[in-house]
Amino acid sequence: MDMNHEKTLKLLAKALEIAPGDWETRSHMAALCIELGRKKQAALLISEAPRLPDDAPGRVAAAELLARADAVDAALELIDALLAQNRANAKAHLLKAKILRDREQRQEARKHYHIAAVIDESLEDREFEDWIYDPTFEPSAPQHSAN
């Protein structure tokens, strides 16, 4: 591991000791852990947060971090709770569709992708559409991103 990454992790950990509820610090640390292959640590940082963001975009970001950290069940749980509050959250539908794609749940993934694309046309994704309609199509790599 790069010494700069190690120093950054130590500084972020120190900042979380001082302010454990600081979501921005927590999410940056989780993202760095994912980048460094420490997915379990990243998932714990998110799942053990004293409080998740109150806003929908922040919760989608938390779910995205959980998915990228391979805590997919926890990510889906968070997304489902968010969609129960607001069925019109396009980014939550898109993230759920991408997670379901990676689980080979084509029909459910298609449903959530279409809902997302109807709500927000800017979220249309050609590669995702190719996968939906062509069972032989292989996506380039798992991408748990709502963007």
Side-chain angles (χ1 to χ4, degrees):
M1 176 182 357
D2 181 301
M3 286 303 289
N4 286 332
H5 286 129
E6 188 64 39
K7 284 181 183 178
T8 302
L9 279 177
K10 285 182 181 180
L11 288 171
L12 289 169
K14 190 80 152 165
L16 279 181
E17 283 178 28
I18 296 167
D22 182 347
W23 173 251
E24 197 167 323
T25 300
R26 185 172 295 275
S27 65
H28 285 303
M29 187 170 178
L32 182 56
C33 286
I34 291 166
E35 182 181 324
L36 297 173
R38 297 179 177 183
K39 292 182 176 185
K40 193 172 194 171
Q41 182 180 358
L44 285 172
L45 280 164
I46 302 306
S47 63
E48 294 179 351
R51 189 168 159 213
L52 292 175
D54 292 326
D55 63 311
R59 287 192 178 252
V60 170
E64 185 177 329
L65 284 168
L66 285 167
R68 289 178 47 215
D70 295 334
V72 177
D73 290 335
L76 286 171
E77 199 173 293
L78 186 54
I79 293 167
D80 287 340
L82 186 56
L83 290 174
Q85 293 175 343
N86 178 8
R87 298 292 304 162
N89 187 317
K91 289 191 175 187
H93 280 289
L94 181 60
L95 181 57
K96 185 168 184 173
K98 290 184 175 189
I99 291 170
L100 293 171
R101 173 195 62 194
D102 295 339
R103 287 187 160 190
E104 295 295 322
Q105 295 178 15
R106 187 176 302 268
Q107 199 163 3
E108 276 297 299
R110 180 183 301 147
K111 177 181 103 177
H112 286 281
Y113 172 75
H114 281 299
I115 293 170
V118 166
I119 295 168
D120 184 349
E121 291 179 5
S122 73
L123 297 179
E124 290 180 358
D125 180 329
R126 183 72 186 141
E127 183 178 347
F128 198 89
E129 289 179 12
D130 288 344
W131 177 81
I132 286 172
Y133 297 111
D134 180 0
T136 63
F137 182 81
E138 290 292 322
S140 56
Q143 296 177 335
H144 303 301
S145 175
N147 294 328

